[in-house]
Amino acid sequence: MAKEDGFVNHAYVPTNSTNSSTSSIPGEYRTTFEAKSHGYNGKNVTPMPNEIATPASQKPIVLPEITIEVDVVGGDSKQRDTWTNDIEFLMSCIALSVGLGNVWRFPFTALENGGGAFVIPYIIVLFLVGKPVYYMEMLLGQLSSRGSIKVFDFSPIMRGVGYGQVFGTAIVSTYYATLMALTLRYLIESCYPTLPWSYCREEWGDRCLNETTSAAANDSTMSSLVNEQRAKMSPAELYFQKEILHEQDDIFNGLGTPNWELVGCLAVAWCIIGGVLIRGVKSSGKAAYFLGVFPYVVLIVLLLRAVTLPGAMDGIIYFFKPQWSELLNPLVWYAAVTQVFFSLAICFGTLITYASYNNFSRNVYNDIVIITTMDSCSSIIAGCITFGILGNLAFKTGAPDVASVVKGGAGLAFISYPDAIAKFEFIPQVSAVRLAWAPALYV
């Protein structure tokens, strides 16, 4: 019925009135959709054929059949792929989060920030920042079923965040590909009957620490060799600097030509990455079964060997013993935050994309607990391996401090792990091949 303010309820449509705001003769109720579909413009309505005005109390409301066409966002109606099963998603996340950030970056970051003084902030930041952000990204991807850019359609002003994540992931991918090229080079060198980083070479001169000579020295001559050995470097470190990277003492003669062996390894690395991703989640999910399990076999073997080396416990104690004064250093906390983000691969957009292929109703909380726990354990295991090897090097060279044994930085893992492999007495080539594959699989 008409209201006093002149507004007419659109559900009540008079059948023979020229002024809907003042007419109140019997008519029938129709839905707004039906009125508009028959030309209702707010003033006049043309009665439907064979339609008799009947009071609303005597005539039931019959709604017309409505066909609704839903436009898919972006105009693409193709159904999004999903993981074949839940295990593929879990193993893919493990292979993504538990990787070079743990095996390669965590040890040298801990070495640069006081060993145990870094572990404490790392664990605190992991629980306060890492796990919640990881959970948030999982939920964003799963509930939206969109990638790292379209997931921000709910707030268009934030789409720049998605583009930034894609750009950051592309930069990190190129960096990881170069590390994978180095591991492939070590894989090739591991096929020689004698591991090339297990002995000193003539061109290295007196800078190389001859472990055979040191082991053969008796107690009377050991003390005289300590001061001399402190200034020397292990064969694994010299091999990485001189034979792999071809480092020069200066650049007066220029940067030189590219190392075509590393260029070839880099090309192979990109081919492997392309082969894994060529079919999206269908191919990467299958590869995750191997990529998420095999590296742990390598880590366990290396850990068992590292802890049995002379002096290894001194290095492991240095790794866990905190230097309390460093806890007040803001740079240590900054390094811990950076390591957590780098290790868990959060805020790169990759987790959002992975979770977007999940079923909408999947409970990812248990997955997050498993993944983040394995990530932390992998970092601790890798730290024990690296610092155990450094403790062994300190024992052999007579260095007063574990941190002064080798030069830190990104090359630490390429020095410590090969050095441990060279000490395997039974077929070290097999262990070397497994070691070379492990970082590559993490990429």
Side-chain angles (χ1 to χ4, degrees):
M1 303 298 291
K3 295 184 179 180
E4 295 181 356
D5 57 0
F7 178 80
V8 179
N9 184 359
H10 288 267
Y12 180 82
V13 183
T15 57
N16 54 358
S17 172
T18 58
N19 190 348
S20 299
S21 62
T22 57
S23 298
S24 60
I25 61 176
E28 73 239 42
Y29 283 94
R30 302 176 183 173
T31 62
T32 304
F33 176 88
E34 184 181 356
K36 290 183 178 180
S37 64
H38 292 87
Y40 174 62
N41 57 6
K43 294 183 179 180
N44 299 319
V45 176
T46 303
M48 297 177 62
N50 302 323
E51 194 175 56
I52 302 175
T54 306
S57 59
Q58 300 180 9
K59 181 178 180 180
I61 301 175
V62 179
L63 297 178
E65 295 182 359
I66 304 175
T67 303
I68 302 176
E69 297 181 359
V70 180
D71 295 331
V72 179
V73 177
D76 185 9
S77 59
K78 182 180 178 180
Q79 185 178 3
R80 190 172 183 83
D81 293 333
T82 57
W83 301 101
T84 304
N85 52 61
D86 295 342
I87 300 298
E88 286 189 2
F89 170 71
L90 178 62
M91 299 304 297
S92 297
C93 289
I94 291 175
L96 172 67
S97 299
V98 183
L100 287 178
N102 310 86
V103 178
W104 161 73
R105 193 178 189 276
F106 181 86
F108 82 77
T109 304
L111 180 64
E112 293 176 347
N113 293 275
F118 172 78
V119 176
I120 295 177
Y122 170 78
I123 295 177
I124 293 175
V125 174
L126 176 67
F127 280 91
L128 296 182
V129 179
K131 290 178 178 290
V133 175
Y134 202 100
Y135 193 27
M136 180 192 68
E137 290 201 342
M138 284 285 195
L139 294 180
L140 283 176
Q142 179 169 311
L143 298 181
S144 64
S145 296
R146 300 177 184 178
S148 58
I149 296 178
K150 289 187 177 181
V151 70
F152 292 103
D153 284 350
F154 68 90
S155 180
I157 197 174
M158 296 182 63
R159 288 176 182 170
V161 176
Y163 286 104
Q165 290 177 339
V166 173
F167 180 75
T169 302
I171 297 299
V172 174
S173 297
T174 59
Y175 185 48
Y176 270 15
T178 58
L179 295 176
M180 187 175 175
L182 294 177
T183 61
L184 291 176
R185 172 67 188 277
Y186 271 95
L187 176 64
I188 297 173
E189 300 292 339
S190 300
C191 298
Y192 287 94
T194 302
L195 297 179
W197 58 81
S198 62
Y199 60 91
C200 294
R201 303 190 181 191
E202 295 182 359
E203 58 268 25
W204 295 344
D206 297 334
R207 299 179 59 187
C208 183
L209 174 63
N210 193 331
E211 299 181 15
T212 304
T213 303
S214 300
N218 53 33
D219 296 337
S220 61
T221 59
M222 180 63 69
S223 58
S224 62
L225 293 175
V226 169
N227 293 331
E228 180 182 354
Q229 291 175 353
R230 287 180 180 176
K232 294 184 178 182
M233 305 168 65
S234 66
E237 185 174 3
L238 284 172
Y239 180 80
F240 179 69
Q241 293 182 0
K242 301 300 182 181
E243 303 299 325
I244 299 296
L245 300 183
H246 296 278
E247 290 185 358
Q248 303 294 330
D249 296 332
D250 52 58
I251 58 173
F252 294 137
N253 297 326
L255 297 178
T257 59
N259 186 340
W260 296 110
E261 294 177 346
L262 290 180
V263 172
C265 292
L266 182 61
V268 174
W270 280 112
C271 291
I272 295 175
I273 295 173
V276 173
L277 300 178
I278 190 170
R279 295 185 59 196
V281 295
K282 299 299 182 183
S283 56
S284 63
K286 298 298 185 295
Y289 287 107
F290 181 69
L291 303 182
V293 175
F294 181 74
Y296 282 99
V297 178
V298 179
L299 285 179
I300 293 174
V301 172
L302 289 177
L303 178 63
L304 295 177
R305 180 52 182 158
V307 297
T308 58
L309 296 174
M313 293 307 300
D314 294 334
I316 296 176
I317 291 174
Y318 178 85
F319 174 56
F320 285 105
K321 184 179 180 180
Q323 301 175 16
W324 300 108
S325 59
E326 292 294 328
L327 293 178
L328 301 178
N329 186 355
L331 295 179
V332 176
W333 289 87
Y334 172 77
V337 174
T338 305
Q339 176 60 30
V340 168
F341 276 72
F342 199 95
S343 176
L344 291 177
I346 54 179
C347 296
F348 284 95
T350 313
L351 287 175
I352 297 177
T353 303
Y354 272 25
S356 67
Y357 297 105
N358 271 343
N359 293 325
F360 183 83
S361 59
R362 177 183 174 88
N363 185 2
V364 296
Y365 180 78
N366 294 333
D367 296 333
I368 294 171
V369 173
I370 295 173
I371 295 168
T372 54
T373 301
M374 295 186 68
D375 177 85
S376 304
C377 294
S378 300
S379 297
I380 300 300
I381 293 174
C384 291
I385 294 172
T386 301
F387 280 85
I389 297 169
L390 295 181
N392 175 253
L393 292 177
F395 174 80
K396 292 184 302 183
T397 60
D401 189 3
V402 174
S404 61
V405 176
V406 297
K407 181 176 66 175
L412 179 60
F414 291 98
I415 297 172
S416 58
Y417 288 117
D419 187 77
I421 290 298
K423 294 178 174 60
F424 276 84
E425 299 177 357
F426 179 73
I427 314 181
Q429 289 79 8
V430 177
S431 299
V433 170
R434 292 186 300 190
L435 169 68
W437 267 109
L441 296 176
Y442 277 130
V443 177

